[in-house]
Amino acid sequence: MTIDNLHQLHRLIARNRFWEKIFIVFGILSLLVGIITLLALLIDMTIDGLPRLSWQFFTSFPSRKYEEAGILSAWVGTCLVILVTAIAAIPIGIASGIYLEEYAKKNWLGDIIEINVTNLAGIPSIIYGLLALGLFVEQLKLGRSILTAGLTLSLLVLPIVIVTTREAIRAIPNSIREAACALGASKWQTIWDHILPYSIGSILTGIIIGLARAVGETAPLITIGALTFIAFLPDSPFKSEFPYISFNWLQAEFTVMPIQMFNWVSRPDPEFQSNAAAAGVVLVFMTLAMNAIAIFIRYRLRRRIKW
Amino acid sequence: MSEKYLKLSPTIHLAPRIIRNLRERIVELLLLGAAISSIATTIGILGILIYESFSFFQQVSIIKFLTDTEWSPLFENPRYGVVPLVSGTLVTTVVALSLAIPLGTIAAIYLSEFASPKLREIAKPCLEILAGIPTVVYGYFAYLFVTPLLQIPLPDLPGSNMLSAGLVMGIMIIPYVSSISEDAMRAVPVHLREGSYAMGATRLQTALRVVFPAAISGISAAYILGISRAVGETMIVAIAAGLQPILTWNPMEEAATITAYIVGVTQGDLPHGSLEYQTIFAAGLVLVLMTLVFNILGHFLTKRYREVY
């Protein structure tokens, strides 16, 4: 090898090293773009909204006067809607997940259900709003109520619950199933006594992440006609007389946090926009807290379970 | 005595088994019912959209709907051309993707091929938080932070514009693109990388010429998911890009997307069965068809370029 060739080789190596360094810089930059935007968003919103965050903000109804307006009906509405969503989506989601993973045979029905779940996850959320408007509100006459909203969001959350349930069940080794079978347990006994208890933690993670998404979802609820100005609370579910529980609140009109925020953002006056920022801080806190709980559960599980 | 025992014995021994089999069957049927609910949802969506659009298209011709360049269903002389809404949707989507695809891909390559495991453990959840922020909050951010920021170098930029909506939407989509692409690249077998290193390639050459092509089916699935997200995104564009259906290809102008139109109209009170009520379903049908086209395209791309190791 001549000296010349050696120099060429050195130059080539240097050039490649140079491009690699450039790429690493770009890689870090593109990670930073997302993270810096996230920080800018959180800081900007907190600065705008913090002065409005007070006890009074949580305990007042919306108002024409910005300094008296609050989010009482919005956060109560969000909690009730999410309650309905959870009650509807959790059993159906887990049941579908179990069916697809443990029962479904490799035939056309299984394939169709499988393709369906994947497709449903890709449908824009506003389309679910149109389904709810056409079906729940107009055909089934459920009204623009908490029940309609909860059911709409449960359809949206369902694919997430199904997918996480399937992944959780798939992660359980077959030896568990074989052991249960060898002791004479039926299929359902195996699932109920073993598969579900072992996978419930991961399933819970998925459910919480799905519900966190439902908390922030706005478009489908606007589509079914949620109101933005609600100055009353739904009927209380607990009564002092027999039968002590009432379901009238399901039919109540409602508003939720993101819709209240949207309403305040679209107003021209900056005072209401700082109300929107305050509502946004509460909303982000709610969703991030739910995600944090999910991450915490996942972390605990990863440490505990070793097959 | 023995006669009685013989009579009883089948019931004693068989009853639990029959009950048990019956219970197994019932449970399986219940689970199947739950699984079928997903099919019912799809049928419900398509049924409602087609049913309401059908009555719409009896009053407005499909050709007019697809070719007219003006959308003014709420005016005196209503016109029903969906082109302005589609153009708004496409412009915001292109702006979002031209940010999300390069940044998401580079971030994915960096995380998969260059970053230390520790950095990856920190960076991935941070990016995933981006996907967890409610979109109405992004709308606020685009309208009241990004637009004023963009107005410093571009003083002519109107308060509602597709550029800031698209850019913020792009940031929101980065985690969708990067996390699935990264999973696809990490699934590429190590021996392909080792082969490349053995031939004297650098890490960058290996990443771009070996790992990236090998993972292209997963990466294109990530892009398709990003496109579906951008086409169907509602609150960011409704807040930051405005609600005026204007036919323009210039991202620095205001224009409504399909989703923004639906949100804008349903905020008011819509009488059931009116033509305005039916327009949102026709618009929704166009939206579903657009996402469906992208999904099918993604399916074929994935199949076409799948590498079998």
Side-chain angles (χ1 to χ4, degrees), chain A residues 61-226:
Chain A
F61 290 111
S63 161
R64 278 175 219 294
K65 299 196 191 101
Y66 76 91
E67 69 274 17
E68 289 173 10
I71 54 169
L72 178 61
S73 48
W75 71 257
V76 172
T78 290
C79 292
L80 292 176
V81 168
I82 294 304
L83 183 68
V84 177
T85 306
I87 291 172
I90 293 174
I92 298 184
I94 295 182
S96 324
I98 293 175
Y99 182 81
L100 288 174
E101 208 50 44
E102 297 286 330
Y103 287 89
K105 298 170 188 74
K106 274 271 157 215
N107 60 9
W108 59 274
L109 188 62
D111 281 350
I112 287 183
I113 299 177
E114 181 117 35
I115 294 170
N116 237 293
V117 173
T118 335
N119 263 338
L120 280 181
I123 288 183
S125 64
I126 196 166
I127 299 296
Y128 288 92
L130 289 180
L131 168 72
L133 177 65
L135 193 67
F136 297 153
V137 178
E138 301 295 350
Q139 304 290 342
L140 301 178
K141 303 284 179 224
L142 294 180
R144 309 176 160 192
S145 58
I146 291 179
L147 181 63
T148 308
L151 291 180
T152 313
L153 292 185
S154 72
L155 292 181
L156 204 72
V157 171
L158 216 46
I160 304 177
V161 179
I162 295 177
V163 169
T164 42
T165 303
R166 294 188 65 178
E167 280 170 4
I169 292 179
R170 209 177 300 152
I172 293 177
N174 251 335
S175 53
I176 302 273
R177 293 183 188 86
E178 284 155 9
C181 195
L183 291 174
S186 71
K187 195 163 192 176
W188 178 244
Q189 283 170 333
T190 311
I191 293 170
W192 185 253
D193 294 335
H194 298 280
I195 309 283
L196 267 185
Y198 304 154
S199 57
I200 199 68
S202 328
I203 296 176
L204 204 62
T205 321
I207 290 172
I208 296 173
I209 288 174
L211 290 182
R213 205 184 135 200
V215 167
E217 203 54 72
T218 326
L221 298 186
I222 294 183
T223 313
I224 63 172

Side-chain angles (χ1 to χ4, degrees), chain B residues 121-197:
Chain B
E121 285 288 298
I122 299 169
K124 263 197 117 167
C126 277
L127 279 181
E128 268 154 28
I129 289 178
L130 277 177
I133 301 264
T135 55
V136 65
V137 172
Y138 278 117
Y140 168 91
F141 180 68
Y143 185 55
L144 295 172
F145 185 85
V146 177
T147 301
L149 201 68
L150 289 174
Q151 274 167 338
I152 299 170
L154 305 164
D156 296 333
L157 200 68
S160 298
N161 62 81
M162 294 188 279
L163 185 64
S164 73
L167 289 178
V168 172
M169 201 151 82
I171 300 276
M172 183 195 78
I173 294 172
I174 288 178
Y176 292 98
V177 174
S178 70
S179 123
I180 297 178
S181 309
E182 195 218 326
D183 290 345
M185 284 191 266
R186 302 242 292 159
V188 173
V190 183
H191 65 245
L192 287 186
R193 292 191 185 85
E194 283 164 352
S196 169
Y197 294 144

Side-chain angles (χ1 to χ4, degrees), chain B residues 89-273:
Chain B
T89 303
L90 289 181
V91 171
T92 46
T93 302
V94 167
V95 172
L97 291 180
S98 53
L99 187 71
I101 285 189
L103 288 184
T105 313
I106 293 175
I109 296 177
Y110 176 73
L111 283 179
S112 149
E113 305 297 313
F114 292 89
S116 63
K118 206 168 181 182
L119 180 67
R120 190 159 44 218
E121 285 288 298
I122 299 169
K124 263 197 117 167
C126 277
L127 279 181
E128 268 154 28
I129 289 178
L130 277 177
I133 301 264
T135 55
V136 65
V137 172
Y138 278 117
Y140 168 91
F141 180 68
Y143 185 55
L144 295 172
F145 185 85
V146 177
T147 301
L149 201 68
L150 289 174
Q151 274 167 338
I152 299 170
L154 305 164
D156 296 333
L157 200 68
S160 298
N161 62 81
M162 294 188 279
L163 185 64
S164 73
L167 289 178
V168 172
M169 201 151 82
I171 300 276
M172 183 195 78
I173 294 172
I174 288 178
Y176 292 98
V177 174
S178 70
S179 123
I180 297 178
S181 309
E182 195 218 326
D183 290 345
M185 284 191 266
R186 302 242 292 159
V188 173
V190 183
H191 65 245
L192 287 186
R193 292 191 185 85
E194 283 164 352
S196 169
Y197 294 144
M199 304 293 284
T202 62
R203 278 199 295 181
L204 181 62
Q205 285 166 335
T206 310
L208 293 182
R209 294 188 200 164
V210 176
V211 179
F212 187 86
I216 194 72
S217 74
I219 293 171
S220 61
Y223 292 171
I224 297 287
L225 179 72
I227 297 176
S228 313
R229 285 274 156 223
V231 169
E233 174 44 47
T234 311
M235 296 320 291
I236 300 177
V237 287
I239 293 172
L243 298 171
Q244 301 297 325
I246 300 165
L247 177 57
T248 173
W249 302 102
N250 180 359
M252 297 208 289
E253 284 178 38
E254 120 171 64
T257 62
I258 299 175
T259 50
Y261 168 73
I262 298 175
V263 160
V265 170
T266 44
Q267 269 185 288
D269 202 21
L270 272 180
H272 172 60

Side-chain angles (χ1 to χ4, degrees), chain B residues 291-302:
Chain B
T291 45
L292 207 63
V293 166
F294 287 125
N295 280 336
I296 292 171
L297 204 71
H299 188 73
F300 278 111
L301 275 181
T302 317

Side-chain angles (χ1 to χ4, degrees), chain A residues 20 48 116 138 184 186 188 277, chain B residues 20 24 32 34 42 140 202 277:
Chain A
E20 205 163 290
D48 288 353
N116 237 293
E138 301 295 350
S186 71
W188 178 244
Chain B
R20 179 172 146 152
E24 291 288 311
L32 175 67
T42 310
Y140 168 91
T202 62
Y277 173 82

